[in-house]
Amino acid sequence: MRWAIIWLAFVGLTVNYLDRASISVALPFLGEDIHLTKTQEGLILAAFFWTYDFFQLAAGWYVDKVGPRRAFTIAAVWWSIFTAVTAAVHSFWTLVAARLLLGAGESPAPATSAKVVATWFPKRERGLATGIWDSGSRVGAVIAIPLVTGIIALAGWRVTFVIIGILGLAWALGWWKAYRDPAQHPKVSAAELEYINEGGARTADNDAEGAAKLPWRKLFGYRTVRGMMLGFFCLNSVIYFFITFFPSYLVDERGFSLLKLGFFGMIPGICAVVSGWLGGWVADRAIRRGVSVTRVRKTVIVVGMVGGSVIIAAVLVPQAWMALALLSLSYASLTFAGTGIWSLPADVAPSSAHVASIGGIQNFASNFAGILTPIMVGYLVDTTGSFVIPLSVIGGIALLGALNYLFVVGRIEPLPVPAAAIAKS
């Protein structure tokens, strides 16, 4: 049953990212209709992340309080409504408003999924389970390209957002009906429940005594948590290029037609999906063989982030196929690292009551990249006339992130809880 649950979460993340990525695919056509500059397009792409990021801290805390069932359902209904509302925009400012409201609704999704993995999976299976739900974000971005281009060709860009909004509402209903925590789920056998708990699932029964009393604000005092915040920011500085300006890069810089964009534009995303699953499988296999969790997580993350930096070379090669190959390698490397990054909240949380909170904290920091990257890329493209400088900058940030995980983030184990911190709570 645990695998059925995580695949359902995968579908939710697929719809979640389809909603946010569709604007990137539709933007070349939407922008022409309402007369947007590249700088305005960058601001629109960033607007989503202003509210998405702002609500991350509260979202993680909320998920830990009410649980994945209620949190994910409410979030999906919210984001689906404001995806559909995007079809009615008619100016720069109405589009900004729609994106702000969409960002607020989508904020609980990643922390909820991390909580699901921590609750349902033993430590030796967390990598693959994380890779599955996290790959939903890549699948959503991949299918957005052919789906949105196809609907635009047939019916125009406005219809796209209505259809995707309906998909989200349908998923929300399915999640509400299907999800329960393992101990309350009617289809979980006694043997599976024992397997989950004995394998180190983060539940109240497995928490250290008193750890759940650690105040939320105290999480920021840990060096490892601060390192996770900085490192995830570095990763997303590159990933959000693929989520935002990647279609425009292929069209404007490499001369792709609508047809070529719909076909070839899927390749990096497909590579990223496969690589995310591979990263999780490799990590789980190593942990089952006795390799320390610290060594496994740090190796996966650092190797992936160094590979992600090849985006620098992608903008320098002369041929479009060379650029596409290097961009595919970059994106795949980043998702390889991402499985390790999203496994960390379950690995280091002081108790089961802090898993989603730490997920929200690191995602809060990471999504400043969602705010800054589109604006930076759009501005520098307008200023320099090419993508060379902005992509060189974010490639360098990926290398900084690799160093951060090596030297700032500490051992990957549950963070110790000082008795004084509990006493003062």
Side-chain angles (χ1 to χ4, degrees):
M1 193 63 207
R2 65 192 183 280
W3 295 105
I5 289 292
I6 207 61
W7 279 109
L8 184 58
F10 159 84
V11 175
L13 266 292
T14 298
V15 176
N16 178 281
Y17 267 74
L18 176 61
D19 286 10
R20 74 175 74 175
S22 293
I23 191 72
S24 302
V25 184
L27 203 52
F29 314 98
L30 183 159
E32 184 177 348
D33 278 0
I34 62 176
H35 310 294
L36 300 175
T37 67
K38 287 297 181 188
T39 299
Q40 286 179 317
E41 289 180 7
L43 289 168
I44 287 166
L45 293 170
F48 169 91
F49 297 102
W50 296 339
T51 48
Y52 180 78
D53 192 39
F54 177 79
F55 282 96
Q56 282 299 317
L57 298 177
W61 173 87
Y62 180 70
V63 173
D64 276 330
K65 291 296 181 183
V66 307
R69 184 177 184 235
R70 184 186 300 177
F72 224 157
T73 302
I74 293 173
V77 170
W78 179 284
W79 86 57
S80 299
I81 289 172
F82 288 103
T83 295
V85 165
T86 307
V89 302
H90 55 81
S91 67
F92 169 73
W93 287 111
T94 54
L95 184 53
V96 167
R99 297 293 291 177
L100 290 170
L101 291 166
L102 177 65
E106 292 205 356
S107 60
T112 305
S113 300
K115 180 80 169 182
V116 170
V117 170
T119 303
W120 275 87
F121 286 86
K123 185 182 299 184
R124 59 184 172 272
E125 293 180 348
R126 277 181 202 154
L128 182 56
T130 299
I132 289 172
W133 76 255
D134 189 43
S135 70
S137 62
R138 322 306 165 204
V139 172
V142 167
I143 65 175
I145 295 177
L147 180 63
V148 174
T149 53
I151 297 174
I152 290 171
L154 292 173
W157 60 267
R158 294 185 188 273
V159 177
T160 300
F161 297 102
V162 175
I163 292 174
I164 297 172
I166 293 171
L167 287 176
L169 292 173
W171 181 85
L173 177 61
W175 180 261
W176 178 257
K177 294 181 67 174
Y179 186 85
R180 302 292 189 280
D181 284 345
Q184 287 79 43
H185 203 290
K187 295 185 179 181
V188 174
S189 67
E192 182 175 20
L193 186 61
E194 182 180 3
Y195 176 82
I196 291 169
N197 288 330
E198 289 185 353
R202 304 304 304 269
T203 64
D205 292 337
N206 293 334
D207 288 343
E209 185 177 357
K213 296 180 180 179
L214 180 74
W216 176 85
R217 66 183 182 278
K218 295 292 185 180
L219 295 172
F220 294 91
Y222 291 97
R223 173 178 170 177
T224 288
V225 172
R226 296 194 299 271
M228 290 165 61
M229 295 171 72
L230 174 59
F232 204 1
F233 169 85
C234 294
L235 182 96
N236 270 0
S237 293
V238 190
I239 280 185
Y240 278 117
F241 162 75
F242 290 97
I243 295 174
T244 56
F245 267 106
F246 173 64
S248 295
Y249 169 78
L250 294 183
V251 172
D252 298 339
E253 193 87 349
R254 295 294 178 175
F256 278 43
S257 65
L258 179 61
L259 179 62
K260 289 178 68 176
L261 174 63
F263 182 76
F264 292 106
M266 294 189 295
I267 294 175
I270 293 172
C271 293
V273 170
V274 174
S275 182
W277 295 345
L278 177 64
W281 178 82
V282 167
D284 288 347
R285 180 178 172 85
I287 290 172
R288 284 195 294 268
R289 293 176 64 182
V291 182
S292 74
V293 175
T294 297
R295 183 176 178 184
V296 170
R297 298 291 186 236
K298 289 198 173 190
T299 299
V300 167
I301 293 169
V302 171
V303 168
M305 296 196 73
V306 170
S309 69
V310 303
I311 196 170
I312 298 171
V315 291
L316 301 176
V317 296
Q319 300 295 322
W321 70 266
M322 297 177 184
L324 195 61
L326 288 168
L327 289 169
S328 298
L329 175 59
S330 174
Y331 202 5
S333 298
L334 295 166
T335 56
F336 189 87
T339 60
I341 290 173
W342 268 116
S343 295
L344 294 179
D347 292 332
V348 307
S351 78
S352 60
H354 296 100
V355 174
S357 296
I358 291 180
I361 287 169
Q362 72 165 7
N363 212 29
F364 164 74
S366 76
N367 281 286
F368 276 107
I371 297 171
L372 299 175
T373 295
I375 295 174
M376 182 270 290
V377 172
Y379 174 77
L380 289 177
V381 170
D382 276 343
T383 303
T384 67
S386 80
F387 283 82
V388 172
I389 292 178
L391 296 199
S392 297
V393 171
I394 60 177
I397 293 174
L399 294 174
L400 174 64
L403 294 173
N404 167 78
Y405 280 106
L406 272 178
F407 300 113
V408 178
V409 174
R411 291 181 56 83
I412 309 305
E413 59 189 10
L415 297 167
V417 181
I422 298 174
K424 292 178 182 179
S425 64

